[in-house]
Amino acid sequence: MLNPIVRCLGAASLALAGLGAVAHAAPGDGVRQVVQAQLQTTEAAVSSQQTVNAASDQAMELVQEYLTNREQIDRLRVYNQNLTSLVRDQQDEVASIAKQMKDAEIVEKEIVPLMLKMVATLDQFIKLDLPFLHEERSARAAQLREMMDRADVTISEKYRRVMEAYQIETDYGRTIEAYRGNLATEGASEREVDFLRVGRLVLAYQTLDRDETGYFNPATRKFEELGSGYRGSITEGLRVARKQVAPNLISLPITAPEAAK
């Protein structure tokens, strides 16, 4: 199918050709004027059609630009909605963090005095407990007291260290242990002995030559010598603690609770 402009130009050409033939067949002023007028009309029609075509092309470009802008606006609207949701979520997160920080300040104000009390209690407990590994345990408590005054240690680390010390002390109550250390008793100079600790029930000792065996008496808060009847039991207990023999029943000098009052 031919373009309207082509058809128009074709019709105009035919009209011009026809008029030309008429002019050639019947020359004269009247005919020439008619032909000239017709030619002018046809040229004006062609010019108008070209103007219409140009306007139509411009309108199509504007429509296409409008559609493109509409698509961009739709994409921007979706993007803005997503950004709005992100901003709202971030605002909620900021509010949550602020609340957590406020709660942490409250917890910190409450937990620091509690930890100070726990450290003081631990120190006092070590002094009143059986005197096993006394230097090691006292040094641990002293380190905790020093740590509580340090600003470069976080509250969480302080709490972890305090709880770790309490866990160590708790484990002492359900284990058996043999270790070597120095002992000074009344009437004798300091000497190296083997200590046997059975939980927190008994802290006994035996000289390296097994000539003397004794234990810590909670009632008197002193180390006292035991009779020879306990020598074999303490020796066996030391071997069990060192995992040299299988666990076995042994006789231990356990003080009755009434006697310790």
Side-chain angles (χ1 to χ4, degrees):
M1 186 175 182
L2 296 177
N3 189 285
I5 298 177
V6 175
R7 293 202 304 271
C8 180
L9 291 176
S13 298
L14 290 174
L16 290 173
L19 291 174
V22 173
H24 178 73
D29 294 336
V31 175
R32 279 196 294 273
Q33 291 176 357
V34 172
V35 172
Q36 187 66 31
Q38 185 64 39
L39 287 174
Q40 292 175 354
T41 302
T42 303
E43 290 174 355
V46 172
S47 178
S48 298
Q49 184 63 43
Q50 291 175 345
T51 302
V52 170
N53 291 339
S56 177
D57 292 340
Q58 185 177 6
M60 291 299 296
E61 291 177 359
L62 292 174
V63 169
Q64 186 62 39
E65 184 178 356
Y66 168 77
L67 294 176
T68 301
N69 290 336
R70 280 292 303 271
E71 292 179 358
Q72 292 179 350
I73 291 172
D74 291 339
R75 288 195 293 267
L76 288 174
R77 184 179 294 109
V78 174
Y79 179 67
N80 287 336
Q81 290 175 351
N82 181 255
L83 283 182
T84 301
S85 299
L86 289 177
V87 170
R88 187 183 302 110
D89 183 68
Q90 289 176 350
Q91 289 174 343
D92 293 341
E93 186 174 355
V94 169
S96 176
I97 293 175
K99 183 178 183 302
Q100 292 176 16
M101 292 177 63
K102 184 177 180 180
D103 294 343
E105 292 177 358
I106 296 175
V107 171
E108 181 176 337
K109 291 178 181 179
E110 294 178 352
I111 199 171
V112 169
L114 174 62
M115 288 191 295
L116 290 172
K117 185 177 180 180
M118 291 175 67
V119 172
T121 301
L122 180 65
D123 189 26
Q124 185 67 16
F125 176 78
I126 292 173
K127 293 177 181 179
L128 298 176
D129 196 19
L130 298 178
F132 60 90
L133 302 174
H134 185 71
E135 293 182 0
E136 175 184 328
R137 297 164 69 199
S138 297
R140 185 182 299 114
Q143 290 173 359
L144 291 178
R145 289 196 303 272
E146 179 185 358
M147 177 192 66
M148 293 302 299
D149 295 332
R150 290 175 55 183
D152 60 331
V153 182
T154 62
I155 298 297
S156 59
E157 177 62 15
K158 291 178 180 179
Y159 182 78
R160 187 192 69 80
R161 293 277 297 277
V162 171
M163 296 307 298
E164 182 180 56
Y166 266 77
Q167 184 62 51
I168 292 173
E169 290 295 329
T170 301
D171 292 341
Y172 286 141
R174 52 174 178 261
T175 57
I176 180 172
E177 180 182 20
Y179 65 95
R180 187 161 292 183
N182 295 324
L183 174 67
T185 57
E186 292 184 2
S189 59
E190 188 174 273
R191 53 220 162 122
E192 191 175 35
V193 299
D194 286 327
F195 286 100
L196 172 65
R197 177 186 60 80
V198 181
R200 282 191 162 85
L201 294 175
V202 174
L203 178 62
Y205 74 90
Q206 191 171 76
T207 57
L208 303 186
D209 57 7
R210 297 178 56 193
D211 184 58
E212 181 182 331
T213 301
Y215 82 115
F216 180 79
N217 189 341
T220 61
R221 301 291 301 174
K222 295 180 181 179
F223 281 97
E224 299 177 0
E225 187 174 352
L226 290 169
S228 58
Y230 284 101
R231 181 182 303 167
S233 296
I234 300 302
T235 300
E236 183 71 8
L238 289 169
R239 297 177 64 192
V240 170
R242 290 167 178 156
K243 298 182 179 180
Q244 296 173 345
V245 296
N248 195 7
L249 294 176
I250 56 176
S251 298
L252 295 173
I254 299 176
T255 303
E258 292 79 10
K261 291 183 180 180

